[in-house]
Amino acid sequence: IVCNAICITYPSSSPFLTLHAVRQWSNVPFFTVPLARAHGKSFAHRSELRQAKRIVVKLGSAVVTRGDECGLALGRLASIVEQVVLINRNGREMMIVTSGAVAFGKQRLRHEILLSQSVRQALHSGQNQLKDMSLPVLEARACAAAGQSGLMALYEAMFTQYSTCTAQILVTNLDFHDDQKRRNLNSTLHELLRMNIVPIINTNDAVVPPPEPNSDLQGVISIKDNDSLAARLAVEMRADLLIALSDVEGLYDSPPGSDDAKLLDTFYPGDQHSITYGTKSRVGIGGMEAKVKAALWALQGGTSVVIANGTHPKVTGHVITDIVEGKKVGTFFSEVKPAGPTVEQQTEMARSAGRTLASLEPEQRSDIICILADLLTERKDEILSANKNDMEHAVSTGRLSPAMLKRLSLSSSKLNSLSIGLRLIAVSSQDSVGRVLRRTRVANKLELEQITVPIGVLLVIFESRPDCLPQVSALAIASGNALLLKGGKEAANTNRILHELAQEALSIHGDKDAIQLVSTREEVEDLCRLEKMIDLIIPRGSSQLVRDIQRAAKSIPVLGHSEGICHVYVDHEASVDKAIKIIRDSKCDYPAACNAMETLLVHRDLLRTPLFDQIIDMLRTEHVKVHAGPKFASYLTFSPSEVKSLRTEYGDLECCIEVVDSMQEAVDHIHKYGSSHTDVIVTENEDTAEQFLQQLDSACVFWNASSRFADGYRFGLGAEVGISTARIHARGPVGLEGLLTTKWVLRGEGQTAADFSEQGSMTYLHENLPVAQVLPGHRTTS
């Protein structure tokens, strides 16, 4: 397809259009783009932006022009064009309001003037003294006249690379104030969109008069700049979404760069009084105040608006597509203010209350946890009723697998076990925050201590397992950490009541807000971008969830394991009874758990022995589907289906069997295909077992015990926030200890580093002192 740009004019007295360029078509597929939704109300939530059918993208001067304000930022424009084409091909109607004609013309005219001056100087003096030349101040209208054609030619060339046709439209204020012209403009744009052409609109800066102050009358916005043009155009065309790209991240409550300036994720019309505006952009005639005014005008007209950064090199290539997908980018303008706090406000509330929680005496935090444990049993009926509603809804929708339904289900016995686990955490909380790890006398009357302190704000994301909420809450309380919880929709009713109980327990010491449940429409990926507010993310759920979070949380540490590929190795000196019992429990007790066996490694000498036959019979009786590893399959004439990958986490009554020649080969296999979660050896040979325990580099390594013991409660931690396979910070089942970090406290009497220099009067001693428990607010004694 070869498409030339179309320059369109519309006479003020005639509704007919004149085409000033010839369009060449070759089997062009005409199709009708879905019409915009019934106009009248803007979208209330970001997630609804996915429904936008007609979109206006406004490119500010700072986005289009280079940093020297002379010429265009070609790389940025190319990535923006690519995104517009991608969205357009997905069935949406796209319009672009662009700046840049002045900057492009300035570059062109400066080049002409320099060339002219250099020729004149060469004729008069015989020397080329370009460095002494002074350039005149160029008039903006002349620059616009010289640059507009080049700007449009550039757009045409870029869109032609994607076989997408564009059309140029230049407007002034009169085109909106004159009814006939406005109807012509509207008709032109609708016809272009019907033909799947991308209109590129700009103010006709070559003839436009200077803006008149205070000229907005009777609710009609004047075309003073491209912000107001984009807003007016979006409302006129009943666009669903206006994306205004500039050189700032969005709208801040105070000038960007100033102390305490906060980016507003969502802005509501009634919040205008809380904004302090800064200076205008380095280029253009608008500014954030003009952008907000135009955005609110468009919002009132039924068009949703997002103001975002179109110049940041890390996001320019996907900023438009991210916005259309409903991701948390820039500032979203909404007329619907939620009843509760935003997730950012929740995080701030949690951090503030968490600091108070950390300052409590250990006995006070222990009391809170014990009260929560009591509430789990006292309010059992209320909890189980809420859980029943969640279960019935999950079953009726059929979206959850049997394993996920099992995780979702609560029972009286589960609540009793939870209560017991919480009491164990309450006991351990007596020795958590403020515990002294080491004491050193650095010099005379200069003592150093390393003590345990909370990490800060934790974000725990969990799927289909409401029992996780009280466990994690208790661990956060014991460690003095603030907690942000994001549970799955399938457990919404159960999570709500459990969160209420946690806050009720916290209320006895006025720390109710330390634990927050995110119930807004925030996507997990959006939460992972709160790097300035969240200190650690802990995912509890499927391996896919963990991987997604690890990818999304680029600036926040993630504690978790991407997969639970656990092995059981049966040595040739294994006990028959122990092997059968351990394999059955490891695979069949709870196959959906991350600590369930996924691969069974069998010593070669056990093949065709009674022990091996009993293992196969047991797996068949338990309805476990068996896949053969490559080596195991080579021993069999008729074998089970050969495994597709030795790195598979089945999460069901399914496993792989592979043959190894020795314990060392088993260790090598696990290191190659395992996930460093939990691995087991079954043998009666102590030397073989010890070698396995020492050589294997996994978070949990067991001898003659089920892999299902890899659990915080079973380890005596009371509960766990998750199992970590990382090698930095906590590893294995993570309980209270894993939610603490340290800080160094130095107590002196006016000493300075200079006192210990060669010319100083003091020397370092570095003498280790006995460690004594330090409570918050108390000082140790020597």
Side-chain angles (χ1 to χ4, degrees), residues 64-78:
V64 176
T65 62
R66 298 194 316 232
D68 60 6
E69 303 174 22
C70 188
L72 303 180
L74 299 180
R76 282 202 293 266
L77 277 179

Side-chain angles (χ1 to χ4, degrees), residues 542-553:
S542 65
S543 58
Q544 186 61 50
L545 171 71
V546 178
R547 284 194 295 268
D548 290 344
I549 291 172
Q550 288 173 330
R551 279 194 296 265

Side-chain angles (χ1 to χ4, degrees), residues 140-156:
R141 291 194 189 92
C143 292
Q148 182 62 41
S149 60
L151 175 66
M152 192 58 211
L154 180 63
Y155 274 118
E156 180 190 355

Side-chain angles (χ1 to χ4, degrees), residues 123-180:
L123 291 174
H124 286 86
S125 63
Q127 296 179 354
N128 188 359
Q129 300 174 344
L130 288 175
K131 62 180 181 179
D132 297 329
M133 294 180 187
S134 59
L135 290 172
V137 177
L138 298 173
E139 208 274 328
R141 291 194 189 92
C143 292
Q148 182 62 41
S149 60
L151 175 66
M152 192 58 211
L154 180 63
Y155 274 118
E156 180 190 355
M158 288 182 171
F159 275 98
T160 299
Q161 297 296 316
Y162 300 96
S163 300
T164 299
C165 192
T166 60
Q168 175 184 219
I169 297 180
L170 299 178
V171 298
T172 67
N173 234 341
L174 294 176
D175 296 312
F176 290 93
H177 285 276
D178 183 279
D179 290 340
Q180 185 61 51

Side-chain angles (χ1 to χ4, degrees), residues 147-283:
Q148 182 62 41
S149 60
L151 175 66
M152 192 58 211
L154 180 63
Y155 274 118
E156 180 190 355
M158 288 182 171
F159 275 98
T160 299
Q161 297 296 316
Y162 300 96
S163 300
T164 299
C165 192
T166 60
Q168 175 184 219
I169 297 180
L170 299 178
V171 298
T172 67
N173 234 341
L174 294 176
D175 296 312
F176 290 93
H177 285 276
D178 183 279
D179 290 340
Q180 185 61 51
K181 287 186 175 183
R182 192 169 73 250
R183 284 194 295 270
N184 290 341
L185 174 59
N186 190 289
S187 175
T188 298
L189 289 171
H190 275 93
E191 181 64 13
L192 292 173
L193 294 175
R194 188 189 69 79
M195 294 188 292
N196 204 34
I197 298 172
V198 178
I200 300 178
I201 304 105
N202 197 0
T203 51
N204 193 349
D205 293 322
V207 299
V208 70
E212 299 178 13
N214 304 318
S215 60
D216 292 344
L217 300 175
Q218 299 177 352
V220 177
I221 192 166
S222 296
I223 309 305
K224 300 177 181 179
D225 48 52
N226 274 348
D227 293 310
S228 56
L229 168 60
R232 182 66 188 265
L233 184 74
V235 173
E236 288 282 343
M237 291 298 296
R238 297 191 172 188
D240 300 301
L241 173 62
L242 166 59
I243 300 174
L245 298 183
S246 183
D247 58 351
V248 292
E249 305 300 321
L251 177 59
Y252 288 78
D253 59 357
S254 55
S258 62
D259 293 339
D260 301 323
K262 294 179 182 177
L263 177 65
L264 302 177
D265 164 63
T266 307
F267 184 72
Y268 309 98
D271 293 343
Q272 298 178 63
H273 63 280
S274 63
I275 303 298
T276 302
Y277 296 102
T279 57
K280 294 182 179 180
S281 169
R282 61 175 174 82
V283 289

Side-chain angles (χ1 to χ4, degrees), residues 17 127 155 164 239 322 393 404 545 547 623 641 654-655 659 685 733 757:
L17 306 178
Q127 296 179 354
Y155 274 118
T164 299
D322 281 354
H393 183 263
M404 294 290 277
L545 171 71
R547 284 194 295 268
H623 306 290
S641 61
E654 202 169 351
C655 75
V659 173
N685 188 311
S757 64

Side-chain angles (χ1 to χ4, degrees), residues 333-349:
F333 286 71
S334 174
E335 289 190 299
V336 180
K337 194 165 187 176
T342 65
V343 68
E344 290 83 4
Q345 291 170 332
Q346 282 186 286
T347 309
E348 290 178 356
M349 291 161 58

